[in-house]
Amino acid sequence: MDPTKRLRPILSAQIDRAFDVAVSWAKRTPMGYKLRNRGFFSRLQSHEEMLADKARVDAYAQALPRLVKPTDVVLDLGTGTGVLAFLAARSGARSVHAVEHGPVIEVARRLAEANGLSNIAFHNMHSGSLHLDEPIDILVHEQMGNSLFEERMVTNVVDLRNRVLRPGGAIVPGAFDFFVEPVALKPAYVVPYIWEQNIEGIDFSVLHGTASEQPPEYRWFNLLAFQFDRPLASPAPALHLDLHTISPAELPTVLDIERLIESAGTVHGLGVWFRAFLDHESTIDTTPFDMERSNWRTPVLRLEHPLDVSPGDKVRIRLEAETLESMDTWTWSVQHEKG
Ligand SMILES: C[S@@+](CC[C@H](N)C(=O)[O-])C[C@H]1O[C@@H](n2cnc3c(N)ncnc32)[C@H](O)[C@@H]1O
């Protein structure tokens, strides 16, 4: 038998593995991130979902007229279809700059023209390359990913804050609460690990230990509100941050969270969500325990085993991250102390 025949599948598996490692590394580089982000947001459906999120759009539509003065120059970071730039222009801004690195900017241009919004300048580039002749008064953005940070909101906003926002200028939204909470899912949406399966007597346990061969995103699910049953403790911010003052280097790399369990149930994972403060009245809240339609999914960080808990128990959560801006770098552990 040709000896290379036996080697071929082994080589091919190794090439596949090397390819996966290279892709995983490339995804984390700034260029890899830009390509993925541009690619995702060049799908019109993703913008349709965001435009259909009434709570999201209303929060901006209500806050901007309160914030924008007739002398103001506004910058919309990541304008997408242009919606926030249009709301700023309608709120009476002197002029608006709308920056977008993806091809969807052509949709925004068409809409501005069709709606007679002539004081918006469009810049088709990554915000890091944007240079303006005038300082801006208000930086509006919606760079909030499911886990708040993964669209590199902090890096992108802080870069513009430091280079083009006038001192004392406003960032909308400027402040955030970030939550990591023990959650119970509705039984129909609990997904066991593959090695826990036994289907018609076919035992999957041989696959135990294969988690380490999976890509990083194997470790969480992005779920919709109706899939959640309830929080098992009162949610409280694990982190509060203010984009007016923070620098990316100050983003914590370790979060220690302690929760007192208030109702008996099973912790199926750690739910991740946030509240964004646009001004003193308008907020956007992505908690999965409010059934109002939201385009945000809730990441549920999977646990090694579900935890059965009772009132009075304590749950200690540690979230560690090379950077909160890449969920691929997150690791977490949960300790359960009986009450
Ligand atoms: C979550 S969407 C929001 C779109 C729009 N502002 C809205 O509220 O519907 C984020 C948009 O920002 C764009 N984007 C992300 N990072 C960017 C950057 N650094 N510079 C320019 N555009 C960016 C994406 O292509 C995407 O269209």
Side-chain angles (χ1 to χ4, degrees):
M1 178 184 167
D2 175 1
T4 61
K5 259 199 180 154
R6 268 196 294 153
L7 273 178
R8 262 183 234 155
I10 300 169
L11 275 176
S12 143
Q14 279 183 345
I15 290 167
D16 272 0
R17 180 88 193 108
F19 182 76
D20 287 347
V21 170
V23 168
S24 156
W25 170 82
K27 267 167 61 183
R28 287 188 221 173
T29 63
M31 182 51 76
Y33 175 76
K34 276 184 207 173
L35 290 173
R36 271 194 306 149
N37 183 277
R38 275 180 92 244
F40 179 79
F41 287 111
S42 56
R43 295 165 52 239
L44 203 52
Q45 295 104 302
S46 56
H47 294 278
E48 286 171 340
E49 277 206 73
M50 291 186 285
L51 294 172
D53 183 337
K54 190 164 158 28
R56 183 189 87 105
V57 174
D58 283 356
Y60 285 96
Q62 286 158 16
L64 286 171
R66 283 194 290 264
L67 294 166
V68 174
K69 295 189 292 300
T71 49
D72 282 347
V73 179
V74 177
L75 171 60
D76 176 13
L77 162 58
T79 200
T81 55
V83 59
L84 305 184
F86 305 156
L87 291 173
R90 277 283 157 85
S91 301
R94 176 158 64 89
S95 64
V96 180
H97 294 277
V99 60
E100 167 59 53
H101 62 177
V104 65
I105 196 165
E106 296 313 324
V107 173
R109 278 203 179 102
R110 275 175 75 175
L111 288 171
E113 202 181 324
N115 286 278
L117 296 161
S118 55
N119 62 341
I120 303 176
F122 291 98
H123 307 269
N124 190 191
M125 60 181 66
H126 187 267
S127 57
S129 308
L130 180 74
H131 298 279
L132 297 174
D133 300 337
E134 51 184 355
I136 57 160
D137 302 288
I138 298 181
L139 169 52
V140 66
H141 69 96
E142 200 279 71
Q143 294 260 293
M144 289 112 72
N146 291 328
S147 72
L148 178 59
F149 298 103
E150 82 262 18
E151 291 181 24
R152 304 221 168 155
M153 170 185 79
V154 177
T155 299
N156 293 333
V157 169
V158 169
D159 166 54
L160 290 173
R161 178 196 78 195
N162 292 347
R163 293 188 301 109
V164 302
L165 187 67
R166 74 162 164 75
I171 301 172
V172 185
F176 298 85
D177 284 338
F178 174 66
F179 296 83
V180 181
E181 299 291 339
V183 292
L185 300 176
K186 298 223 175 90
Y189 300 106
V190 175
V191 177
Y193 288 104
I194 193 162
W195 53 87
E196 293 167 343
Q197 289 287 359
N198 186 311
I199 292 179
E200 305 285 337
I202 298 167
D203 178 4
F204 285 54
S205 63
V206 65
L207 296 175
H208 205 282
T210 50
S212 60
E213 295 164 21
Q214 304 306 313
E217 60 270 22
Y218 175 70
R219 300 171 301 135
W220 66 87
F221 285 109
N222 289 328
L223 299 185
L224 288 162
F226 69 83
Q227 298 174 294
F228 287 79
D229 185 3
R230 65 214 150 89
L232 294 160
S234 293
L239 174 67
H240 178 79
L241 70 118
D242 191 331
L243 290 176
H244 297 90
T245 50
I246 198 169
S247 76
E250 285 164 4
L251 270 182
T253 54
V254 179
L255 291 175
D256 282 310
I257 300 149
E258 187 177 298
R259 289 287 174 267
L260 185 64
I261 297 298
E262 287 161 9
S263 74
T266 302
V267 181
H268 293 117
L270 305 174
V272 177
W273 65 87
F274 63 87
R275 187 184 300 130
F277 298 87
L278 285 78
D279 70 349
H280 58 283
E281 278 183 51
S282 284
T283 56
I284 293 174
D285 196 331
T286 65
T287 171
F289 300 109
D290 173 355
M291 291 300 280
E292 199 170 352
R293 188 194 185 296
S294 163
N295 80 93
W296 279 278
R297 308 294 192 265
T298 305
V300 175
L301 311 181
R302 301 173 84 177
L303 305 183
E304 217 170 301
H305 303 287
L307 290 177
D308 289 327
V309 291
S310 311
D313 290 0
K314 272 193 190 137
V315 166
R316 290 200 177 83
I317 300 164
R318 170 164 280 211
L319 178 67
E320 292 182 78
E322 244 169 69
T323 164
L324 282 176
E325 295 199 299
S326 167
M327 276 186 83
D328 288 4
T329 72
W330 293 16
T331 54
W332 50 90
S333 60
V334 179
Q335 282 176 5
H336 179 200
E337 198 182 289
K338 289 261 177 216

